[in-house]
Amino acid sequence: MQPEPPRRILVVDDDPTVTEVVTGYLKNAGFVVDTADDGHEALVCASRGRPDLVVLDLMLPGMDGIEVCRALREGSPAPAVIMLTARGEEEERVLGLEVGADDYVTKPFSPRELVLRVEAVLRRRTAAAVGPGTGTGTVLRAADLVVDTAARRAVRGGAELSLTLREFDLLVYLMRNPGRAVSREQLLQEVWDWEFGDLSTVTVHARRLRTKIEADPANPRLIQTVWGVGYRFDSSEEKG
């Protein structure tokens, strides 16, 4: 059996120090790495090199990371995207997830942690490509929500939902554990496959997921917050 070719990563950042450090760690982990220092060059490199994943800085000269991410999502096949954001840019992080980023890492960050996140995202993508894992069936239902885990499709009220990779995995995990309070730490381990990380990652994804599956995201009925713990999925159809 022929060994699989190494995965290709595109690092996009206008800070040469960040690019050099991240590139070094990724290469040491066995990845092939291309680099770009602005948005336009990133799109050229992505078209030419067809990366499996793009590490993308949010704040880029000329064409920012949001625009680049949106353009990457229009390509086929679209690479996974991990956004690099400055601390305190929550609105931008949310927008990045909305346009299709698979995850984000807040600066300053540990290059070793970034490599682990890159590996986790690619592992999830591979699992999604080969089909569902073990579970209690391939079709999950709650109220007007229907999720086909084999096809990785979610439909609400007859309309297909546009969910990112993480949003879909989070939804499936919660739906497979109805009525159970699940901590953010556990979700980070089970859905993100991280042993450590920023718990606000879970919070942001849960918030975005609510905007897509809840009739009233401000008063969620499916994804309930369990204060001091995390979340609970309410699969009952009778809401009083």
Side-chain angles (χ1 to χ4, degrees), residues 115-136:
V115 171
L116 291 175
R117 293 197 181 194
V118 166
E119 292 172 340
V121 168
L122 291 176
R123 188 160 54 244
R124 287 272 170 185
R125 282 224 157 186
T126 300
V130 299
T134 58
T136 57

Side-chain angles (χ1 to χ4, degrees), residues 27 58 93 98 113-114 140-141 169 189 193 210 240:
K27 285 183 175 180
L58 176 65
R93 292 199 295 270
E98 180 65 17
E113 179 185 352
L114 176 60
L140 306 170
R141 302 175 187 273
D169 288 343
Q189 293 175 2
D193 198 21
R210 279 171 169 162

